[in-house]
Amino acid sequence: MKRRLFVVGCALAALALGGCTPKFQAVPPEALFALRPSAGVAPLTVVCDGSLSFSENGRVVEYIWDLGDGTRALGPIVSHTYSRGGTFRVTLEVYDEQGLSSRRDGRVEVQFAPPTASFSTAPWRPGTGETIWFDASTSTSPNGAIVEYRWAFGNGDWDVGEKVGYMYWYGGAYPVTLTIVDEAGAVASVTQVIEVQGGPGCAR
Amino acid sequence: MRAILAGLVVAAVGVAGGATTLAVGSAAQWAFVDVPSLNTFIHLANQTIGFVNERAGSEPVPLIPALGQGVGLRLSEAVGGVLRVGLQMEVASVGTRTQGTWTAEETSHPVDISLDVGFVAFAAELDLVLVPDILIVSASAGWGTSRIGYRCVFPPTLPTDWSLPFLPKAEDTTYTSAGPVGAVAVQVSLPLGPGASAGFEVGFRLAPPSVPRAGTGVLDLNADGLGDPVGFSGPWLGLAVRMEFNL
């Protein structure tokens, strides 16, 4: 009888221990977050909400953000402004009360803000055969330096450079187009109509 | 080796006191399973669904019930006296599903996620008849295969201005895995008539977790780049019917 009780006891103990086994498995937390917006034009302010993260072992106690542009932040919800364009990998790492952690990546696509192309000319009312100076130094870019200035003079001729001189041999209205490219590859252009006084080949 | 086996058989028959019985049993089970990796995915999906429900401004999509309980069936056949040896087959199944649609700006975003987990095991069984017709303790060891059917329709773009790096992966795939399985069970029954008895059965199945595969892919529902191990361990409670025939 004792032996039978022993066998039954062992079987019940095995059941009880077996039933408890999953409880001892360490399940890491899950990092889950939402971004708003996840794409846009710089400067772009993005809200990162990591409060969706959870842990089967209790509470998530630590939220560590790597915002992909060298910025780190702490807390379940953070806000960050991307001042320049690019693709940024946002990583959230969470820790639960047991010190277990996990991470998840998201992506923010920030388009480069377009540069602004502008130029001035001198003299104010040019004539044929007179050198006209085109100056694009008033052009600006939020993405860094402007690496290319390209001029189209409206008659098939063209030139490159921040400041260029050009002479028309025929009077008339010429649409002069400046196209600039900044170091991020963003492009902008502007067109002004230049009125050239006088007849063909006549300098004032 | 043969001598040892023959000795064991002789010993078993000796323990049985020379009375040999063929016992055929079946048990319908209420099975409890613990599949933390699948339930973690369900939790992730529910967080996503709940987040969108709050912001989509349309009829909410129901959350996915966690996997925990299912049904099973165990069939066994054993020969012997007090100590019986035999074979058994066991099948069990659990499943969960949600369906719904978000509607935003006259665009429908259907959601349909289901997980069906099935388990089949074949095992050798050893029964110890503690009280004839009333109390039997059995242990079994064998090989089991599990099948995880994952069917998911989920919109790639959410009807909200928020974006989430985790979305349930839209696919229709059946993953499988196999491995050793062991179980212990206790049957308590009452005689119904000559050679027939019925009662309750409680047991625990131990099926170590392994990562199910589908072709060259592995189950990775939470998209962390690691496979999701799935076991089928857990207790069960069953209604058992047993027929015994004297040989």
Side-chain angles (χ1 to χ4, degrees):
Chain A
M1 185 62 186
K2 281 184 178 176
R3 198 182 68 170
R4 288 178 180 176
L5 285 174
F6 175 74
V7 171
V8 173
C10 287
L12 292 175
L15 284 173
L17 287 173
C20 292
T21 300
K23 305 283 187 292
F24 294 117
Q25 290 180 359
V27 180
E30 284 289 339
L32 182 61
F33 59 94
L35 302 169
R36 188 180 71 176
S38 60
V41 177
L44 181 70
T45 298
V46 177
V47 177
C48 310
D49 183 352
S51 61
L52 295 170
S53 304
F54 62 89
S55 168
E56 306 289 2
N57 310 314
R59 288 188 312 123
V60 174
V61 294
E62 196 162 8
Y63 302 77
I64 303 172
W65 296 89
D66 181 341
L67 297 161
D69 62 349
T71 307
R72 294 173 77 85
L74 299 174
I77 301 175
V78 300
S79 177
H80 180 63
T81 300
Y82 293 91
S83 55
R84 298 190 61 182
T87 300
F88 300 95
R89 189 169 73 174
V90 178
T91 304
L92 172 62
E93 185 170 16
V94 296
Y95 285 82
D96 67 13
E97 290 172 313
Q98 294 187 6
L100 299 172
S101 69
S102 77
R103 58 170 57 198
R104 192 175 296 278
D105 295 337
R107 209 167 60 169
V108 174
E109 301 272 358
V110 183
Q111 295 167 15
F112 289 96
T116 303
S118 68
F119 65 90
S120 59
T121 60
W124 174 243
R125 293 176 67 84
T128 53
E130 183 177 13
T131 299
I132 307 170
W133 292 100
F134 297 91
D135 183 358
S137 60
T138 52
S139 299
T140 59
S141 169
N143 308 314
I146 296 170
V147 296
E148 186 177 332
Y149 299 84
R150 188 178 185 90
W151 302 90
F153 296 112
N155 58 359
D157 286 354
W158 59 273
D159 200 354
V160 294
E162 183 178 358
K163 188 174 182 180
V164 298
Y166 186 73
M167 196 181 293
Y168 289 94
W169 292 103
Y170 299 95
Y174 296 91
V176 177
T177 300
L178 165 67
T179 302
I180 60 173
V181 181
D182 66 19
E183 62 182 347
V187 178
S189 61
V190 64
T191 299
Q192 284 185 35
V193 176
I194 304 296
E195 294 278 354
V196 179
Q197 308 295 316
C202 299
R204 275 195 303 179
Chain B
M1 186 66 185
R2 285 183 180 176
I4 294 172
L5 285 174
L8 288 172
V9 170
V10 169
V13 173
V15 169
T20 302
T21 301
L22 170 66
V24 179
S26 66
Q29 300 172 349
W30 184 21
F32 302 86
V33 295
D34 185 70
V35 280
S37 61
L38 298 183
N39 280 328
T40 294
F41 160 72
I42 289 171
H43 199 155
L44 272 172
N46 282 342
Q47 290 286 87
T48 303
I49 291 170
F51 187 84
V52 179
N53 280 345
E54 289 175 10
R55 291 160 179 81
S58 73
E59 190 73 18
V61 172
L63 301 183
I64 311 168
L67 284 169
Q69 302 169 17
V71 293
L73 181 69
R74 188 166 78 107
L75 301 172
S76 66
E77 198 171 276
V79 177
V82 172
L83 201 60
R84 297 173 182 167
V85 293
L87 297 171
Q88 70 166 356
M89 188 193 84
E90 186 179 7
V91 295
S93 172
V94 297
T96 188
R97 184 176 190 179
T98 189
Q99 280 180 293
T101 301
W102 289 307
T103 305
E105 296 172 356
E106 298 182 353
T107 303
S108 291
H109 302 268
V111 175
D112 187 351
I113 302 173
S114 70
L115 270 170
D116 294 302
V117 183
F119 178 77
V120 180
F122 293 92
E125 179 180 321
L126 184 66
D127 294 346
L128 177 63
V129 181
L130 296 176
V131 180
D133 293 334
I134 294 178
L135 182 61
I136 296 176
V137 176
S138 70
S140 61
W143 194 256
T145 60
S146 59
R147 171 189 51 76
I148 292 105
Y150 172 67
R151 322 257 177 274
C152 177
V153 174
F154 203 85
T157 55
L158 300 175
T160 167
D161 52 354
W162 291 83
S163 72
L164 282 82
F166 170 81
L167 297 178
K169 189 166 51 174
E171 66 176 35
D172 182 346
T173 309
T174 299
Y175 297 85
T176 57
S177 67
V181 59
V184 290
V186 177
Q187 272 189 14
V188 179
S189 53
L190 290 174
L192 295 178
S197 59
F200 294 99
E201 175 183 274
V202 61
F204 185 84
R205 181 191 314 102
L206 191 63
S210 60
V211 178
R213 294 181 167 275
T216 55
V218 298
L219 183 72
D220 181 21
L221 298 182
N222 62 348
D224 62 355
L226 306 171
D228 300 338
V230 177
F232 218 83
S233 298
W236 77 81
L237 184 64
L239 289 171
V241 176
R242 194 171 60 250
M243 302 289 292
E244 294 185 358
F245 306 96
N246 288 324
L247 301 179

